[in-house]
Amino acid sequence: MRVSRSFPFEAAHRLEEYEGKCETLHGHTWRIEVTLEAPVGPDGLAFDFVVLEREVRKHVLAHLDHTYLNDVLPVPSAERVALWAWERLSHLPLAEIRIWETPDCVVSYDGSHGSGSKQDG
C-alpha cells in the first residue's frame, strides 16, 4: 500500500551556476509530497497520516519553510531539495518524494539512484 501526503512551503533561493532568471534571488510556493510504502497492519493502516505529517514537519519543513534555501543546502535546485528531504526522512518506509518548485514544474525521486553526493544540512 502507498500512503502520500503533500505540504506547501514558502522559500527563496538562487541558482548561482544557472544562466537565466533563476540565478537571481527569487521565491516560490513550493510543495513536497512524501509517499510511503508499507503493508496494511492489523489496525487497518499502512501508515498513520498524523505521524507522517509530524515527521515531515519536524525533519523537513522546520528547516525549509520561510527560509533562504541557499543557507540550508548547496545548489538548492528542486532536484537537490528532493535528495535532501529523502535523506532527512530515510527513517521512514519511503517510496517517493516529489517536489514542486512551481505549479507546473515537479521533480520526483524514488531512491533507486544514488544522490551523487552527500547533501549538507
Side-chain angles (χ1 to χ4, degrees):
M1 186 70 60
R2 288 191 171 201
V3 175
S4 299
R5 185 144 185 196
S6 67
F7 307 86
F9 65 96
E10 305 293 332
H13 71 151
R14 61 185 294 262
L15 300 177
E16 296 173 11
E17 300 298 319
Y18 185 83
E19 293 184 22
K21 292 191 313 184
C22 293
E23 70 183 320
T24 61
L25 177 62
H26 63 286
H28 298 285
T29 298
W30 300 72
R31 184 161 54 109
I32 181 171
E33 179 182 87
V34 177
T35 300
L36 307 179
E37 188 165 15
V40 177
D43 61 358
L45 304 176
F47 201 91
D48 189 333
F49 286 117
V50 174
V51 173
L52 177 54
E53 177 181 13
R54 181 183 67 227
E55 294 301 302
V56 172
R57 290 196 184 285
K58 177 181 177 182
H59 295 288
V60 176
L61 298 178
H63 303 278
L64 300 184
D65 192 29
H66 285 81
T67 65
Y68 177 49
L69 295 178
N70 295 64
D71 289 341
V72 179
L73 64 150
V75 191
S77 62
E79 294 87 345
R80 290 272 176 93
V81 172
L83 293 168
W84 181 89
W86 185 279
E87 290 176 5
R88 303 280 305 181
L89 297 171
S90 63
H91 62 285
L92 300 175
L94 293 169
E96 182 178 52
I97 289 183
R98 292 169 54 99
I99 302 286
W100 280 263
E101 188 173 292
T102 70
D104 300 324
C105 298
V106 62
V107 301
S108 62
Y109 181 63
D110 67 5
S112 62
H113 303 287
S115 67
S117 66
K118 181 78 173 161
Q119 297 298 308
D120 294 341

Short mmCIF file of all heavy atoms in Angstrom, two decimals, residues 72-101:
data_model
loop_
_atom_site.label_atom_id
_atom_site.label_comp_id
_atom_site.label_asym_id
_atom_site.label_seq_id
_atom_site.Cartn_x
_atom_site.Cartn_y
_atom_site.Cartn_z
N VAL A 72 20.61 26.49 3.56
CA VAL A 72 20.30 25.16 4.06
C VAL A 72 21.08 24.08 3.30
O VAL A 72 21.58 23.14 3.89
CB VAL A 72 18.79 24.87 3.98
CG1 VAL A 72 18.45 23.47 4.46
CG2 VAL A 72 18.01 25.92 4.78
N LEU A 73 21.17 24.22 1.98
CA LEU A 73 21.88 23.22 1.19
C LEU A 73 22.51 23.88 -0.04
O LEU A 73 22.02 24.89 -0.53
CB LEU A 73 20.96 22.07 0.78
CG LEU A 73 19.80 22.36 -0.14
CD1 LEU A 73 19.51 21.12 -0.98
CD2 LEU A 73 18.56 22.70 0.66
N PRO A 74 23.61 23.32 -0.51
CA PRO A 74 24.28 23.89 -1.68
C PRO A 74 23.46 23.64 -2.94
O PRO A 74 22.80 22.61 -3.07
CB PRO A 74 25.62 23.15 -1.73
CG PRO A 74 25.37 21.86 -1.03
CD PRO A 74 24.32 22.15 0.01
N VAL A 75 23.49 24.58 -3.84
CA VAL A 75 22.79 24.49 -5.13
C VAL A 75 21.36 23.97 -4.90
O VAL A 75 21.03 22.86 -5.26
CB VAL A 75 23.55 23.62 -6.15
CG1 VAL A 75 22.94 23.79 -7.54
CG2 VAL A 75 25.03 23.91 -6.16
N PRO A 76 20.50 24.80 -4.32
CA PRO A 76 19.17 24.33 -3.93
C PRO A 76 18.16 24.27 -5.08
O PRO A 76 17.14 24.94 -5.09
CB PRO A 76 18.75 25.36 -2.87
CG PRO A 76 19.41 26.61 -3.33
CD PRO A 76 20.74 26.17 -3.89
N SER A 77 18.46 23.43 -6.04
CA SER A 77 17.50 23.16 -7.12
C SER A 77 16.41 22.25 -6.56
O SER A 77 16.55 21.66 -5.49
CB SER A 77 18.21 22.45 -8.27
OG SER A 77 18.72 21.20 -7.82
N ALA A 78 15.33 22.11 -7.29
CA ALA A 78 14.26 21.19 -6.86
C ALA A 78 14.82 19.78 -6.71
O ALA A 78 14.44 19.04 -5.78
CB ALA A 78 13.11 21.23 -7.86
N GLU A 79 15.72 19.40 -7.61
CA GLU A 79 16.33 18.07 -7.53
C GLU A 79 17.10 17.89 -6.23
O GLU A 79 16.99 16.86 -5.56
CB GLU A 79 17.26 17.85 -8.73
CG GLU A 79 16.57 17.81 -10.06
CD GLU A 79 16.35 19.17 -10.72
OE1 GLU A 79 16.48 20.22 -10.04
OE2 GLU A 79 16.05 19.19 -11.92
N ARG A 80 17.88 18.88 -5.86
CA ARG A 80 18.67 18.79 -4.63
C ARG A 80 17.78 18.85 -3.39
O ARG A 80 18.08 18.20 -2.39
CB ARG A 80 19.71 19.92 -4.59
CG ARG A 80 20.83 19.76 -5.61
CD ARG A 80 21.95 18.92 -5.01
NE ARG A 80 23.01 18.65 -5.94
CZ ARG A 80 24.11 19.39 -6.07
NH1 ARG A 80 24.29 20.46 -5.34
NH2 ARG A 80 25.03 19.04 -6.95
N VAL A 81 16.69 19.60 -3.45
CA VAL A 81 15.75 19.62 -2.33
C VAL A 81 15.15 18.22 -2.13
O VAL A 81 15.01 17.74 -1.01
CB VAL A 81 14.66 20.69 -2.51
CG1 VAL A 81 13.59 20.58 -1.43
CG2 VAL A 81 15.28 22.09 -2.52
N ALA A 82 14.81 17.55 -3.22
CA ALA A 82 14.25 16.20 -3.13
C ALA A 82 15.26 15.23 -2.51
O ALA A 82 14.91 14.44 -1.63
CB ALA A 82 13.82 15.69 -4.51
N LEU A 83 16.51 15.30 -2.93
CA LEU A 83 17.54 14.44 -2.36
C LEU A 83 17.75 14.72 -0.87
O LEU A 83 17.88 13.80 -0.06
CB LEU A 83 18.86 14.61 -3.12
CG LEU A 83 18.88 14.12 -4.56
CD1 LEU A 83 20.13 14.64 -5.27
CD2 LEU A 83 18.81 12.61 -4.61
N TRP A 84 17.79 15.99 -0.53
CA TRP A 84 17.97 16.40 0.87
C TRP A 84 16.82 15.89 1.74
O TRP A 84 17.04 15.33 2.81
CB TRP A 84 18.08 17.93 0.93
CG TRP A 84 18.28 18.50 2.29
CD1 TRP A 84 19.48 18.73 2.91
CD2 TRP A 84 17.28 18.94 3.20
NE1 TRP A 84 19.27 19.28 4.15
CE2 TRP A 84 17.93 19.43 4.35
CE3 TRP A 84 15.88 18.98 3.15
CZ2 TRP A 84 17.23 19.94 5.44
CZ3 TRP A 84 15.18 19.49 4.24
CH2 TRP A 84 15.86 19.95 5.37
N ALA A 85 15.59 16.06 1.25
CA ALA A 85 14.43 15.60 2.01
C ALA A 85 14.44 14.09 2.16
O ALA A 85 14.10 13.56 3.23
CB ALA A 85 13.14 16.06 1.32
N TRP A 86 14.86 13.37 1.12
CA TRP A 86 14.94 11.90 1.20
C TRP A 86 15.87 11.49 2.34
O TRP A 86 15.55 10.62 3.14
CB TRP A 86 15.41 11.33 -0.13
CG TRP A 86 15.43 9.84 -0.17
CD1 TRP A 86 16.39 9.00 0.32
CD2 TRP A 86 14.41 8.99 -0.70
NE1 TRP A 86 16.05 7.69 0.11
CE2 TRP A 86 14.83 7.66 -0.52
CE3 TRP A 86 13.19 9.23 -1.34
CZ2 TRP A 86 14.07 6.57 -0.94
CZ3 TRP A 86 12.44 8.15 -1.76
CH2 TRP A 86 12.88 6.84 -1.56
N GLU A 87 17.02 12.12 2.40
CA GLU A 87 17.98 11.80 3.46
C GLU A 87 17.42 12.12 4.84
O GLU A 87 17.60 11.36 5.78
CB GLU A 87 19.29 12.53 3.22
CG GLU A 87 20.04 11.98 2.03
CD GLU A 87 21.31 12.74 1.71
OE1 GLU A 87 21.69 13.66 2.47
OE2 GLU A 87 21.95 12.41 0.70
N ARG A 88 16.71 13.23 4.97
CA ARG A 88 16.14 13.64 6.26
C ARG A 88 15.02 12.70 6.71
O ARG A 88 14.74 12.60 7.90
CB ARG A 88 15.59 15.06 6.17
CG ARG A 88 16.57 16.12 5.73
CD ARG A 88 17.48 16.60 6.78
NE ARG A 88 16.73 17.08 7.93
CZ ARG A 88 17.30 17.58 9.00
NH1 ARG A 88 18.60 17.67 9.07
NH2 ARG A 88 16.57 17.98 10.01
N LEU A 89 14.35 12.05 5.75
CA LEU A 89 13.22 11.18 6.07
C LEU A 89 13.55 9.70 5.86
O LEU A 89 12.64 8.86 5.84
CB LEU A 89 12.01 11.56 5.21
CG LEU A 89 11.47 12.97 5.44
CD1 LEU A 89 10.43 13.33 4.38
CD2 LEU A 89 10.90 13.11 6.85
N SER A 90 14.81 9.37 5.75
CA SER A 90 15.20 7.99 5.42
C SER A 90 14.82 6.97 6.48
O SER A 90 14.86 5.77 6.22
CB SER A 90 16.71 7.92 5.13
OG SER A 90 17.44 8.27 6.28
N HIS A 91 14.42 7.42 7.66
CA HIS A 91 13.97 6.51 8.71
C HIS A 91 12.54 6.01 8.46
O HIS A 91 12.07 5.11 9.16
CB HIS A 91 14.06 7.19 10.08
CG HIS A 91 13.20 8.41 10.21
ND1 HIS A 91 13.53 9.61 9.61
CD2 HIS A 91 12.02 8.59 10.84
CE1 HIS A 91 12.59 10.49 9.89
NE2 HIS A 91 11.65 9.90 10.63
N LEU A 92 11.87 6.56 7.47
CA LEU A 92 10.51 6.16 7.10
C LEU A 92 10.56 5.18 5.92
O LEU A 92 11.56 5.16 5.18
CB LEU A 92 9.68 7.39 6.71
CG LEU A 92 9.51 8.45 7.78
CD1 LEU A 92 8.78 9.67 7.21
CD2 LEU A 92 8.78 7.90 9.00
N PRO A 93 9.50 4.42 5.70
CA PRO A 93 9.48 3.50 4.55
C PRO A 93 9.17 4.24 3.24
O PRO A 93 8.10 4.09 2.64
CB PRO A 93 8.37 2.50 4.93
CG PRO A 93 7.44 3.29 5.78
CD PRO A 93 8.32 4.23 6.57
N LEU A 94 10.13 5.05 2.81
CA LEU A 94 9.93 5.92 1.64
C LEU A 94 9.77 5.14 0.35
O LEU A 94 10.48 4.17 0.10
CB LEU A 94 11.12 6.86 1.49
CG LEU A 94 11.29 7.91 2.57
CD1 LEU A 94 12.65 8.59 2.42
CD2 LEU A 94 10.17 8.93 2.53
N ALA A 95 8.85 5.62 -0.49
CA ALA A 95 8.69 5.10 -1.84
C ALA A 95 9.03 6.19 -2.86
O ALA A 95 9.63 5.91 -3.90
CB ALA A 95 7.26 4.61 -2.07
N GLU A 96 8.68 7.44 -2.55
CA GLU A 96 8.92 8.54 -3.49
C GLU A 96 8.78 9.87 -2.77
O GLU A 96 7.97 10.01 -1.86
CB GLU A 96 7.92 8.47 -4.65
CG GLU A 96 8.13 9.55 -5.70
CD GLU A 96 7.15 9.42 -6.85
OE1 GLU A 96 5.92 9.35 -6.59
OE2 GLU A 96 7.61 9.39 -8.00
N ILE A 97 9.57 10.83 -3.22
CA ILE A 97 9.42 12.22 -2.81
C ILE A 97 9.29 13.04 -4.08
O ILE A 97 10.07 12.87 -5.02
CB ILE A 97 10.60 12.70 -1.95
CG1 ILE A 97 10.54 12.05 -0.58
CG2 ILE A 97 10.61 14.22 -1.84
CD1 ILE A 97 11.60 12.47 0.38
N ARG A 98 8.28 13.89 -4.09
CA ARG A 98 8.06 14.80 -5.22
C ARG A 98 8.14 16.23 -4.71
O ARG A 98 7.61 16.54 -3.65
CB ARG A 98 6.71 14.54 -5.88
CG ARG A 98 6.67 13.18 -6.56
CD ARG A 98 5.27 12.75 -7.00
NE ARG A 98 4.56 13.70 -7.81
CZ ARG A 98 4.45 13.64 -9.14
NH1 ARG A 98 5.04 12.66 -9.81
NH2 ARG A 98 3.76 14.54 -9.80
N ILE A 99 8.83 17.07 -5.48
CA ILE A 99 8.98 18.48 -5.12
C ILE A 99 8.47 19.33 -6.28
O ILE A 99 8.94 19.19 -7.41
CB ILE A 99 10.46 18.85 -4.86
CG1 ILE A 99 11.07 18.00 -3.74
CG2 ILE A 99 10.61 20.35 -4.59
CD1 ILE A 99 10.61 18.35 -2.36
N TRP A 100 7.49 20.18 -5.99
CA TRP A 100 7.02 21.16 -6.96
C TRP A 100 7.69 22.48 -6.63
O TRP A 100 7.55 23.00 -5.53
CB TRP A 100 5.51 21.36 -6.86
CG TRP A 100 4.69 20.32 -7.53
CD1 TRP A 100 4.14 20.39 -8.78
CD2 TRP A 100 4.29 19.05 -6.99
NE1 TRP A 100 3.44 19.24 -9.04
CE2 TRP A 100 3.51 18.39 -7.96
CE3 TRP A 100 4.53 18.40 -5.79
CZ2 TRP A 100 2.96 17.14 -7.77
CZ3 TRP A 100 4.00 17.15 -5.57
CH2 TRP A 100 3.22 16.53 -6.57
N GLU A 101 8.41 23.01 -7.61
CA GLU A 101 9.00 24.34 -7.45
C GLU A 101 7.98 25.40 -7.85
O GLU A 101 7.95 26.49 -7.30
CB GLU A 101 10.26 24.45 -8.32
CG GLU A 101 11.04 25.70 -8.09
CD GLU A 101 12.36 25.69 -8.83
OE1 GLU A 101 13.25 24.90 -8.46
OE2 GLU A 101 12.49 26.48 -9.78
#
